[in-house]
Amino acid sequence: MKQALADALSTRGYDKLTPVQEAVTTDDLIGADLLVSAQTGSGKTLGFGLAIAPTLLGEEEAFGQAAAPLALVIAPTRELALQVKRELSWLYANTGAHLASTVGGMDMRDERRALSRGTHIVVATPGRLRDHIMRGSIDLSSIRAVVLDEADEMLDLGFREDLEFILGEAPEDRQTLMFSATVPKMIATLAKNYQRDAVRVSTKGEASQHADIEYIGMSVAPRDVENAIINVLRYYEAPNAIVFGNTRVMVNRLTTRLSNRGFSVVALSGELSQAERTTALQSMRDGRARVCVATDVAARGIDLPNLDLVIHAELPSNHETLLHRSGRTGRAGRKGVSALIAPPSAKRKADRLLHFAKLKAEWGPAPSADMVRERDEARMMDDPQWSEPVAEAEAPAVEKLVETFSAEQLAAAYLRLHHERKSAPEELSDVDAKPERRAPFGPGVWFSVAGGREARAEPRRLLPMLCKAGDLSKDDIGRIRVKDKASFVEISEASVQRFLKAIGPDMTVEHGAAVTQLDGPPAGVKDGKLGSHSKPRPRREDRPERSERPARAETPAGSEKAQSERPARDEPAEAPKAKEPKWSPDAPKPERKISTAPVDYDDERKPRPKKPKPDAKGKSGAKSGGKPAPKGERREGGPEDLTRGGAVRPGKPKRDRGDGPKGPPPPKGKPNSKKNRARAAAKRPERAPGPASRRGRS
């Protein structure tokens, strides 16, 4: 090991290397390609930093003038890349190394200027590094070592093409190191194609690497998941804790809930900008925030100091993610707790994840409110401040308190002040208990809160905000209606005075939102309807049987109502009017005047002729090729067209129905039925004289 690196480790208090660091720094592996599998928290960052040092420095103890980069370190996420850069910066501080980072979300022009000034080690994410290579802003001709950190995660995130492009652009005589928690088939294929005689380094005893992590499974009711998270945070009171959710929606929801309960919390998800994510992590490191709610991708590989508690608000999809999540704690010899919050429907999935990860968890209920209070009292009594002597600056105030108040009053006041600084624990219901039906809400008073849909107001955000600002519980709040410009909230009459006293005379809540009391429900909300707090319907088993239900009251025969409905005896009751029946075969038909004048069939309307087709010369006319006949002129061999000029084909005369041009309407029903034909023949009048039909009958 280089002396400059040994001095840096000694300054940081590293007196012993981890198994991974010892395995990759042996003399027989200097300059060799390595495929290392090790769990999170095993010191991989310092391991590959020590492994590539002989390749980068050679026989020297320090770097020369910075020019083209000598090493590439590629990480899957921005947070991990920046964290790796910080670790390598203090490790190579005594060697005069210049480090640069190229990660997504940062200004590409600043990165290009840093690369142009010269650097020795570049820490990057795959997508941004490929952009720099394609734009020609980075020179890879001098690369001596390439490190792929969390290689399995990069392949899962879809960076395979980017990694193959980067490795293809780097010199072939480089040293390539791949670090991964697991070695699936894709990792083995990538190592086979882009490494030369790679040495497989595997640290034995994966369970021993998580020996400092205590796995606890907590069975909770489905409706108490968030309440259990609050109690777990209060029970352990860890300096730093991280709560994992599977989606951004869950992260935002938990962040809002914990913030309203008084926790100093930050969020870490993919929808945040790089500046916001960096600020969130920095607030965790310097103690301004104590709880971080994050997704798996955003929290991949991050290392937070004093992170003693990991809570799985939602179970991960596979056991590898469970190991990565839990590996955020129990690092560098510190003890940690990994708590799995599992409702009954997720219990089997939790057991399956633990089995595949070769882990054992102790199952039990989540900490109750009484358990949290007992733990608070125990921590209070164990506080070393009780054994500290009274300072000179504190003596006058202490004497004044002792003279003014009794011991019981001082103890009670101290307990009250101690509990006020803490968030109150939640009462948890039994896991198998059925939810109790909510009582009717009753009369309420409407209030308007400034800010509606345009201000991204939502009921799930308004409810905890009003409960916190107005000293209310969720049972004191009824209907919530969010409009474009404002939101409307119904508060029970019994809680109105307490609410007004809590928000103060300025009538404002969180972020200065103004609150106004209304005289009635807002427009579009009908008074008297209780919305979600409507009267519960009785259960099926509580309803009376049909035979037990009271019979409908009948009108007594001698009542006034019965007498009024009956007709007088001396006046006969009018019979109801009979409805006119619909058409029937026996119904008489109205008389129809029948014309007996002979029909001139020559004047009968002929069918419309087809338009003559143009001849070979493109002119329209008759088939004989002559000019079309003038309008109204009769041509030989065909009848006259009274509507338009031109020759037409002689049409067939209409069938004579015996009553002139138009015969009687056909009967309804199927036209070919024997019954309809016989009925039509019986009702048909005598046929007028005319020509014989086509069949020769007169």
Side-chain angles (χ1 to χ4, degrees):
M1 182 185 300
K2 299 294 182 180
Q3 187 61 36
L5 304 183
D7 294 342
L9 293 174
S10 178
T11 303
R12 285 274 177 164
Y14 289 87
D15 53 355
K16 183 180 179 181
L17 298 179
T18 64
V20 176
Q21 295 167 358
E22 291 180 353
V24 299
T25 54
T26 56
D27 295 339
D28 54 343
L29 295 181
I30 295 178
D33 290 358
L34 303 178
L35 177 57
V36 184
S37 60
Q39 296 296 332
T40 58
S42 56
K44 292 184 293 183
T45 303
L46 294 182
F48 62 71
L50 297 173
I52 63 176
T55 303
L56 301 182
L57 293 171
E59 300 297 332
E60 304 294 332
E61 288 289 336
F63 288 101
Q65 185 177 1
L70 304 178
L72 290 177
V73 180
I74 307 173
T77 62
R78 293 171 280 185
E79 286 74 25
L80 183 56
L82 298 178
Q83 178 180 299
V84 169
K85 181 184 176 183
R86 286 192 300 269
E87 294 293 319
L88 296 182
S89 295
W90 66 260
L91 180 63
Y92 284 90
N94 298 332
T95 63
H98 290 271
L99 284 83
S101 62
T102 59
V103 297
M106 306 298 285
D107 193 343
M108 199 170 187
R109 295 171 297 180
D110 295 340
E111 296 176 350
R112 190 182 298 112
R113 285 190 289 266
L115 294 174
S116 63
R117 289 194 296 266
T119 181
H120 297 104
I121 302 175
V122 175
V123 185
T125 53
R128 178 55 64 90
L129 180 58
R130 180 174 182 174
D131 290 342
H132 281 290
I133 295 175
M134 298 180 67
R135 294 171 184 267
S137 54
I138 185 172
D139 183 11
L140 302 184
S141 60
S142 301
I143 293 296
R144 302 177 185 176
V146 176
V147 179
L148 303 183
D149 191 13
E150 303 283 1
D152 55 343
E153 179 68 11
M154 286 191 284
L155 294 182
D156 292 341
L157 295 177
F159 290 129
R160 179 170 184 173
E161 295 183 1
D162 295 335
L163 293 177
E164 292 178 348
F165 175 81
I166 295 169
L167 295 175
E169 294 293 325
E172 296 183 358
D173 57 347
R174 66 182 184 274
Q175 181 186 12
T176 306
L177 287 77
M178 294 186 184
F179 283 75
S180 176
T182 58
V183 184
K185 184 178 180 180
M186 291 188 298
I187 295 293
T189 303
L190 191 67
K192 181 179 180 181
N193 295 335
Y194 294 96
Q195 285 187 317
R196 300 172 302 170
D197 301 328
V199 179
R200 181 78 161 81
V201 178
S202 177
T203 57
K204 301 296 183 180
E206 294 182 356
S208 62
Q209 297 177 5
H210 287 259
D212 294 334
I213 303 176
E214 180 184 3
Y215 286 86
I216 300 177
M218 299 181 181
S219 300
V220 299
R223 60 186 176 276
D224 284 337
V225 172
E226 296 181 8
N227 295 337
I229 294 172
I230 293 174
N231 285 7
V232 171
L233 291 173
R234 288 282 290 105
Y235 183 81
Y236 288 99
E237 289 290 344
N240 279 341
I242 187 167
V243 182
F244 280 103
N246 292 339
T247 61
R248 301 175 184 177
V249 175
M250 186 63 174
V251 169
N252 295 335
R253 178 176 178 177
L254 289 176
T255 302
T256 303
R257 178 76 187 276
L258 295 177
S259 177
N260 293 332
R261 292 303 306 271
F263 291 93
S264 53
V265 58
V266 294
L268 200 64
S269 62
E271 65 181 354
L272 301 178
S273 64
Q274 182 58 43
E276 292 172 334
R277 295 162 73 170
T278 303
T279 303
L281 290 176
Q282 186 59 36
S283 63
M284 291 288 292
R285 292 188 177 94
D286 57 23
R288 288 180 289 121
R290 195 168 62 86
V291 181
C292 176
V293 185
T295 56
D296 295 324
V297 176
R300 183 78 179 197
I302 62 174
D303 185 16
L304 295 174
N306 303 325
L307 182 63
D308 297 342
L309 177 63
V310 172
I311 301 177
H312 307 270
E314 294 179 307
L315 296 179
S317 57
N318 53 66
H319 70 282
E320 296 176 357
T321 306
L322 176 65
L323 292 173
H324 282 292
R325 285 182 176 185
S326 304
R328 300 308 99 209
T329 185
R331 305 169 74 92
R334 292 180 61 90
K335 299 293 183 180
V337 175
S338 178
L340 288 78
I341 308 296
S345 59
K347 178 65 167 55
R348 295 183 61 183
K349 179 180 179 180
D351 292 336
R352 185 169 61 253
L353 293 175
L354 293 170
H355 173 72
F356 288 141
K358 301 179 181 179
L359 300 171
K360 292 183 179 180
E362 181 180 353
W363 283 92
S368 62
D370 294 336
M371 295 174 62
V372 173
R373 296 187 188 99
E374 292 177 2
R375 191 69 176 264
D376 283 342
E377 293 179 3
R379 279 192 291 262
M380 180 188 65
M381 298 302 295
D382 295 339
D383 197 309
Q385 294 293 336
W386 296 105
S387 58
E388 294 291 333
V390 179
E392 294 182 2
E394 301 171 343
V398 171
E399 292 177 0
K400 185 176 181 180
L401 289 174
V402 172
E403 293 175 357
T404 307
F405 305 102
S406 63
E408 291 80 4
Q409 290 176 324
L410 291 175
Y414 179 80
L415 285 176
R416 296 190 192 102
L417 295 174
H418 178 75
H419 291 315
E420 284 181 0
R421 294 194 300 267
K422 306 289 184 179
S423 177
E426 292 284 350
E427 296 289 345
L428 303 181
S429 58
D430 191 15
V431 179
D432 300 327
K434 295 182 179 179
E436 297 180 359
R437 291 186 176 271
R438 190 171 184 177
F441 182 70
V445 178
W446 283 92
F447 290 84
S448 67
V449 183
R453 295 191 188 96
E454 297 180 357
R456 302 180 66 180
E458 296 177 309
R460 61 188 179 91
R461 298 179 183 270
L462 290 172
L463 181 62
M465 180 187 71
L466 293 173
C467 290
K468 179 182 178 181
D471 191 19
L472 301 174
S473 66
K474 60 182 180 181
D475 296 330
D476 298 327
I477 299 178
R479 292 170 289 179
I480 299 177
R481 298 292 183 266
V482 180
K483 304 297 183 181
D484 294 336
K485 301 292 184 180
S487 303
F488 301 94
V489 183
E490 184 184 22
I491 299 177
S492 62
E493 285 185 354
S495 307
V496 171
Q497 295 301 325
R498 185 169 76 253
F499 175 70
L500 295 176
K501 182 179 178 181
I503 62 177
D506 55 349
M507 298 285 286
T508 57
V509 289
E510 190 175 327
H511 303 299
V515 179
T516 306
Q517 184 174 351
L518 305 179
D519 297 333
V525 179
K526 295 183 179 180
D527 196 6
K529 292 188 177 181
L530 302 181
S532 60
H533 301 281
S534 58
K535 186 177 181 180
R537 186 180 182 183
R539 298 181 180 179
R540 183 177 296 275
E541 57 270 15
D542 297 336
R543 301 178 193 170
E545 297 294 337
R546 185 176 297 274
S547 59
E548 300 175 0
R549 297 178 186 175
R552 183 178 298 175
E554 298 181 358
T555 305
S559 62
E560 295 181 0
K561 182 177 181 181
Q563 292 292 341
S564 62
E565 293 178 353
R566 292 182 179 179
R569 292 185 178 180
D570 54 349
E571 296 178 2
E574 295 182 0
K577 295 181 179 180
K579 295 183 179 180
E580 296 181 359
K582 295 184 179 180
W583 178 87
S584 64
D586 301 332
K589 283 191 175 183
E591 295 183 0
R592 185 187 298 269
K593 294 182 179 181
I594 301 175
S595 176
T596 57
V599 180
D600 185 5
Y601 290 98
D602 293 336
D603 295 336
E604 189 176 2
R605 179 66 58 87
K606 302 301 185 294
R608 180 175 294 181
K610 295 183 179 180
K611 187 176 181 180
K613 298 181 180 180
D615 55 6
K617 297 182 180 181
K619 299 180 181 179
S620 61
K623 290 184 178 180
S624 60
K627 296 182 180 180
K631 184 176 181 180
E633 181 180 353
R634 185 170 182 174
R635 294 181 59 86
E636 296 181 358
E640 182 180 359
D641 186 2
L642 302 179
T643 58
R644 62 178 66 187
V648 297
R649 298 173 61 184
K652 297 180 181 180
K654 289 186 177 181
R655 185 177 181 179
D656 179 22
R657 305 184 69 89
D659 55 349
K662 293 184 180 180
K668 296 182 180 179
K670 298 181 180 179
N672 296 328
S673 63
K674 295 181 179 180
K675 186 177 182 180
N676 287 341
R677 289 199 299 269
R679 184 183 302 157
K683 299 297 181 180
R684 186 180 301 161
E686 295 182 0
R687 300 168 65 94
S693 61
R694 289 180 297 176
R695 294 186 180 181
R697 292 179 296 179
S698 59

